[in-house]
């Protein structure tokens, strides 16, 4: 999980993946917000977190996060979608 975003190519593939995830979850709404604001570093749990206080991308969908979703998140990097041939991100 530490380097998962580094594995994505630059550009829009990460947005496509997030939209595919929303589709797989049967969401009817997807919203994306790019936040240009930077935040302070005085109240962080550790100094290494300072680099993560800049611009951010928020993605929302209206699907319900299920226990199965949580289990798939825990097993990130494993081929959970290969077992479900009806999902958009199966390829």
């Amino acid at each position: 999980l530490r380097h998962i975003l580094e594995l994505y190519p630059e550009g829009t593939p990460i947005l496509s993946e997030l939209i595919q995830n929303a589709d797989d979850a049967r969401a009817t709404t997807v919203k994306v917000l790019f936040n240009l604001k930077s935040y302070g570093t005085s109240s962080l749990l550790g100094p290494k977190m300072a680099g993560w206080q800049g611009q951010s991308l928020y993605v929302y969908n209206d699907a319900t996060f299920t226990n199965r979703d949580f289990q798939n998140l825990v097993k990130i990097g494993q081929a959970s979608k290969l077992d479900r041939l009806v999902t958009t991100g199966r390829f």
Side-chain angles (χ1 to χ4, degrees), residues 9 15 18-20 32 38 41 52 54 62-63 74 76 83 86 88:
L15 288 176
L18 293 169
I19 292 168
Q20 286 176 355
V32 179
S38 292
T41 59
W52 295 95
D62 64 351
V74 170
I76 203 158
D83 298 333
V86 296
T88 303

Side-chain angles (χ1 to χ4, degrees), residues 21-69:
N21 289 348
D23 182 56
D24 291 345
R26 298 189 182 355
T28 60
T29 300
V30 176
K31 296 182 180 185
V32 179
L33 169 69
F34 182 54
N35 183 2
L36 295 171
K37 187 174 179 179
S38 292
Y39 296 90
T41 59
S42 62
S43 64
L44 300 176
L45 296 175
K48 291 183 180 180
M49 296 177 79
W52 295 95
Q53 296 305 109
Q55 299 173 350
S56 56
L57 181 68
Y58 297 90
V59 180
Y60 162 83
N61 72 62
D62 64 351
T64 301
F65 194 81
T66 66
N67 286 335
R68 183 176 182 160
D69 295 327

